[in-house]
Amino acid sequence: MKPLSSVTCLFISFTFFCILSLSFLFFSSSPTPKDPDPAPLISKDTIQSPTHINVYVAELPRSLNYGLLEKYWSSEPDSRIPTDPDHPIPPTHSPKPAKFPPYPENPLLKQYSAEYWIMGDLETPQDQRSGSFAKRVFAETEADVIFVPFFATLSTEMQLGMGRGIFKKKTGNEDYRRQREVLDFVKNTEAWKRSGGQDHVFVLTDPVAMWHVRAEIAPAILLVVDFGGWYRIDSRSSNGSSTETIQHTQVSILKDVIVPYTHLLPRLHLSEDQERNTLLYFKGAKHRHRGGLVREKLWDLLVNEPGVIMEEGFPNATGIEQSIKGMRSSIFCLHPAGDTPTSCRLFDAIQSLCIPVIVSDNIELPFEGMVDYSEFSIFVAENDALRSNWLVNHLRSLSKQKRENFRQKLAEIQPIFEYDNGFPGGIGPIRPNGAVNHIWQKVYQKLPAIKEAIVRERRKPPGVSIPPRCHCT
């Protein structure tokens, strides 16, 4: 046989190479079902979650925060708390003032104590704050937000304790004087002038905190328990029966953060849970105003229902003991609207592993988007709840397995609503998965819209007014 010529060998080699390349391209472009999906353009691993928010603490005088606590502890007991002969209220006077005094155990005040725990975290030495989402900075220009360290709720409640008659007046009103001192200070800082206050953070957990200066702090980031205290009902109609709500632009879900009340009842762990024999439990005031009128109607509808306990009560020592017993022995805990859409009762139910039944059409809840309340709460429209037998039948129709799933989820999310870090004065490492970090994470989520609003305000020509766009119904 004659040997192949070099040209022929080259041609055969080239043809074989082409066939092999085409085969590779064909099979590589037609993945079998077992092949993995093509990698995304941006791997999830490369997307960095935010690690902190930079917070500058405005240099208010101590008299407006911890000094207020010192004043509280040196005063007479709050006359608004009814006496209980079996459980007397501890004296207000504290014989040894501490650098960081404790927040009052008085339930009217304790439920609003977010201001204390947020401030305590920021006052904690930096080397103990490794678990904090808020990174304290000491130059305004480095800050994402400016925290205003005014204990507005404590100031409000101390004034109310001295007499409600003077609260809405300015003359002789110590709370108004303090509000004015805070605003006069921060509005004269370069930070406020740069942003118009839009990157300043105020804690206003009491629905009437900073009542006199609300129009002035409207642009700021407000940490509130709900929006109920910010709207009012129009009573100026000809027959006086109008229920139209007068809206305004002082609060908005776009810029403000809903924070939890501080729970008053101790946490019940899932391993400690026992058999629950009551279907539905409620303890509180029957008569409320505004949107809380639904509570009185529900009371009359449910008070004689088998398996339902409706108790009139107040959060003094005896009332707290009764609530612990009632919530821990009940499957569901009723949460109707009161003077405002929400209350501390919701967070007591969560800590008691009692499935919340929320009857409040206008409620706003803390940490929405981080927490899915439908996984551990029952939401009922007010109109449905007020139909005869509807609510009780609906609750009884839920399977035992569904109830257990709700309770498992309640146990999982309990720490998210916990403020107390277990350290005296609140000074010490906070719970990384607790309420304070979740609050700062929600503030962080607001930053893009806030920074955009600041830039829009800066670029407007002199004499031009840009209408507020923070209103959200």
Side-chain angles (χ1 to χ4, degrees), residues 214-253:
R214 287 192 166 185
E216 295 178 69
I217 62 173
I221 305 164
L222 308 178
L223 309 187
V224 295
V225 290
D226 60 34
F227 292 157
W230 292 79
Y231 298 125
R232 63 189 178 90
I233 302 298
D234 186 1
S235 59
R236 296 174 296 176
S237 61
S238 58
N239 59 8
S241 62
S242 171
T243 58
E244 180 182 356
T245 302
I246 300 174
Q247 308 286 7
H248 49 71
T249 57
Q250 288 182 331
V251 286
S252 166
I253 205 67

Side-chain angles (χ1 to χ4, degrees), residues 351-373:
Q351 297 302 325
S352 303
L353 298 177
C354 187
I355 302 166
V357 178
I358 298 173
V359 185
S360 181
D361 291 353
N362 297 316
I363 197 169
E364 298 288 351
L365 295 164
F367 314 144
E368 295 252 40
M370 298 176 173
V371 176
D372 184 353
Y373 284 80

Side-chain angles (χ1 to χ4, degrees), residues 31-39:
T32 65
K34 294 182 180 179
D35 289 338
D37 292 331

Side-chain angles (χ1 to χ4, degrees), residues 3-69:
L4 295 174
S5 67
S6 60
V7 173
T8 303
C9 288
L10 183 62
F11 174 77
I12 292 172
S13 299
F14 179 76
T15 303
F16 178 77
F17 177 78
C18 290
I19 292 170
L20 187 64
S21 299
L22 288 170
S23 299
F24 175 78
L25 289 171
F26 175 79
F27 287 108
S28 64
S29 63
S30 305
T32 65
K34 294 182 180 179
D35 289 338
D37 292 331
L41 292 176
I42 300 177
S43 170
K44 291 181 180 178
D45 295 335
T46 65
I47 301 175
Q48 298 294 320
S49 298
T51 57
H52 67 271
I53 182 173
N54 290 331
V55 181
Y56 176 82
V57 180
E59 297 180 355
L60 292 183
R62 179 182 171 86
S63 61
L64 294 171
N65 40 71
Y66 291 109
L68 268 177
L69 280 172

Side-chain angles (χ1 to χ4, degrees), residues 101-216:
Y103 207 79
E105 287 294 315
N106 173 332
L108 278 180
L109 297 175
K110 185 178 179 180
Q111 64 180 332
Y112 300 131
S113 63
E115 58 192 9
Y116 180 75
W117 300 107
I118 295 171
M119 182 69 174
D121 173 44
L122 293 169
E123 286 291 308
T124 297
Q126 194 61 40
D127 61 353
Q128 299 179 38
R129 304 188 64 250
S130 58
S132 298
F133 188 78
K135 178 183 177 182
R136 184 169 181 178
V137 297
F138 295 90
E140 294 175 347
T141 53
E142 297 176 6
D144 293 313
V145 293
I146 313 294
F147 180 73
V148 183
F150 176 41
F151 288 172
T153 285
L154 184 60
S155 176
T156 292
E157 288 293 332
M158 287 173 67
Q159 185 64 53
L160 287 169
M162 295 171 62
R164 290 181 174 270
I166 202 171
F167 178 73
K168 292 188 177 181
K169 299 177 182 178
K170 296 180 179 179
T171 304
N173 185 337
E174 284 295 303
D175 180 40
Y176 170 71
R177 181 191 60 77
R178 290 188 287 262
Q179 294 174 39
R180 193 70 267 154
E181 184 179 355
V182 171
L183 264 292
D184 290 347
F185 177 88
V186 296
K187 292 177 78 171
N188 280 312
T189 62
E190 290 302 315
W192 184 283
K193 293 172 184 177
R194 280 194 301 268
S195 70
Q198 293 180 95
D199 56 0
H200 284 55
V201 179
F202 292 85
V203 187
L204 307 178
T205 45
D206 191 304
V208 292
M210 297 196 83
W211 188 83
H212 287 282
V213 296
R214 287 192 166 185
E216 295 178 69

